[in-house]
Amino acid sequence: MMKRTLTGIAAVMVAALALTSCSSSGSSGGDAAAPAGNVPLKIGNFLDITSWDPALADIGFDGPYLSAIYDPLVVVDGEGVPQPALATKWEVSDDFKTITMDLRDDAVFSDGEKFDAAAAVKSLDYLKAGVRSQEAYQNVDSFEAVDTDTIAIHLKKRDDTILYFMGLGRSYMMAPKAIDDGSLAKTPVGSGPYILGKDTVAGAEYHFDKVAKHWDSKDFPFDPLVISPLSDPTAMLNGMEGGQFNVIYGDQTAIDTAAANDWNVSSGLSAWVGLQFTDRTGATEMGKPLGDVKVRQALNHAFNGPEMLKAIAQNNGAATNQVFPDGTTGNLSKLNDLYKPSIETAKKMLADAGYADGFTVKMPMAPPFQPYQAAVEQVFGELGIKVTWDEYQFMDYMAKAPTYPVFVGVISMDGNAVATVERQITEPQWYNPTTSLDAFPDIKAQADKVFSADPGDAQNKEIEALNEMVTKEAWFDVWYQSNNSYVSTKEFTVTPVTGMMFPTLRHIHLEG
Amino acid sequence: MLTFTLKRLLSGVILLIAVATATFFLAHAAIPDPTLGLLGSAATPEAQAALAQKIGTDRPVIVQFGDWITQLVQGNFGDSWRNFQPVSEQIATKLPVTLSVVTVGILISAVLGGVLGVVAGLRPNTWIDRVVKAGAVVLFALPGFWVALVLVMLFAVQLKWFPAVGYTTPEQSFGGWVQSITLPAIALAVGAVVMIAEQLRNAIIQADRQDYVRTLRSRGLPQWRITVHLLRNAAPASLTVLALMFVGLLSGAIVVEQIFALPGIGALTQGSSQNGDIPMLLGITVITVVFVVIVNFLLDILLGWINPKVRVK
């Protein structure tokens, strides 16, 4: 009996080895021969697609998946500037309340329906009603098909960010019949450069078949195209080293490994890291000290952001003390020296504010923020600030953190300066439920100037003035801004987009 | 036997209801406002309110429980709060992945652990036994994730015999399927092999000391027939360990699925937990409990078949 068992084991092992040596499954083959004129692209994304229905999708990591199936009306470039896609050009009316768009007339949905103004309006109405996509269309009154290849977006009030949000992934056009069927989440139907392939294994490997006559086929030379979600950075790097991927979302280890493998690394700013004040007026008992601008400024002096960037983020980011992405409109390099790191200065300012012995504060903590916990304890300790931590799971952190007067934040940034004004300063967000604008009339007035200034230089000037005010008022304690990075084999480069965790296929290019 | 089977089934149903109820209220207590996790950085107050209305969390928890339990008894797990697709459909696509890895891992454990346990048990205190025992200590001490990483680095990254990550269905390619689950199954099996070998070895040594074995030997029975008798008496303990292993490996699969990027229940559980997708978490819990009940039920039947004394007890 034992002999039979052992023979059986040997047979299974021989079979496995034989299969190993001859099989060419969908999982392997990063170095497989490419069909002439096309280049295989196998992407290791960080998360699985939220939904194939653009109205239900997240824009964070859904970019590459959705951009394969759907064409957007507008796409943003690496600077966050809206660029034409299915909308070839657009005009904003003098009162800023109507946007008129010319549409392509050569796009066809994969079910055979033609893309036209009526289809665009249907998609936009659907997106406006979508639970997740509605964020882009808060100020829209209606969409109108002016003629077969022209639409008008009528706004309830001026909205300088709508084109930016549409370009981030909120203007994917869907086939009208699929919208009516309610079948998009299962069977996506777009006019994009690919259709979902039958070899797809949900959650593991999404295979895409190239559309033969796509209107923009030259920008999509990727064939075969495979996108795999892998939430583990080590797994992603292993897949890259094993030849299974040629573009991945890279962590520091992947970046360090890139040079030895002759891989490209593309990095773009994605979030600011520091202390988020939620009680800037000292309205709560515990947050009372933070209502004093000297205390907030003292905390800005106390933390050595550039050193934290080196030590914690391995220099993968930018040393700046502002919420506007470094090197973009709004960010002022002259302000970076405003709070020179000095614990002595911080102590003196706290003493001037009446807190020479510090104060007591409770803060939330969750596993992703633990790298910063020691730095906060050390700095607060030197200032005499006694901090106690309430531990949460990451998901609870989002709900609980804003209930504390101050918390360690890694807050996403936008590549559009007006969007930054809205999301960081004027509009309530999960991390900033009470904007405090009413308590700072000068800042409120300056924000109003931003929203009423003519787009372009005049508006940019007002944005810079606003940033200077909030930075001087120490509305935030920004230690540094961190990067998102993408590692690719040498045939590819990736254009990072601030505001997108993973760029779309339009941001992945062939070298040369 | 019928009474025995019915009792087992009834206790399984009671366990299922108790665990499902407890999980429902624990999940809702732990995640008081799931809209934040579900919406992420786009969680504006308007979006939160719209989502809360869509998923029904703007209603009292007890009302939500009533709806959920009513759906559950009709075999409906509801829709995911993340992508609004039926929970059952998503679990159905993930479950085969986890079951593939866990089942192959258990088979490897049973065969290798069984062979090593029998060999060592029949020759106690010989060099073979010492090698098995020493090997067991070393292998059991190795963390599963470390074994998995070593396997990936050696057989996938360096030798490229197997894919480092990903899963291929048997329908796509049987060879690809074998390739994609071999390393994860081995990584899962390493700890289980030594536990089963150790258990079986000890049970055989214990059984070998029984009077009936001495009697069989004195009657001149060949060793293979004595071994069969030994196995019948030693098997129940090992099978119990194997069943416990199966249940344990279902949860152990989370780490292995992460390292090999397999789209299984482990990855689904982790993602759903991070996002606050309560219907998905509840669906996974219910399915897992069902599996635990089934495995224990089958174990009881198997033990009764191997050793009739168990039935009498």
Side-chain angles (χ1 to χ4, degrees), chain B residues 247-308:
Chain B
V247 174
L249 292 189
L250 279 177
S251 55
I254 290 178
V255 175
V256 168
E257 284 175 12
Q258 189 172 4
I259 290 171
F260 291 95
L262 299 175
I265 290 292
L268 187 65
T269 308
Q270 196 185 23
S272 307
S273 171
Q274 280 170 354
N275 294 322
D277 192 347
I278 291 178
M280 187 64 80
L281 286 173
L282 294 173
I284 292 168
T285 305
V286 169
I287 292 291
T288 307
V289 173
V290 167
F291 265 93
V292 171
V293 169
I294 290 173
V295 167
N296 281 310
F297 178 72
L298 291 177
L299 175 70
D300 288 338
I301 302 288
L302 193 60
L303 290 179
W305 176 69
I306 290 174
N307 189 349

Side-chain angles (χ1 to χ4, degrees), chain A residues 102-132:
Chain A
D102 286 353
L103 307 179
R104 300 196 68 85
D105 58 7
D106 54 354
V108 179
F109 293 108
S110 60
D111 65 354
E113 292 178 85
K114 193 168 164 42
F115 169 74
D116 56 18
V121 167
K122 192 170 185 75
S123 279
L124 288 167
D125 279 331
Y126 185 67
L127 290 170
K128 185 174 182 289
V131 170
R132 291 197 174 92

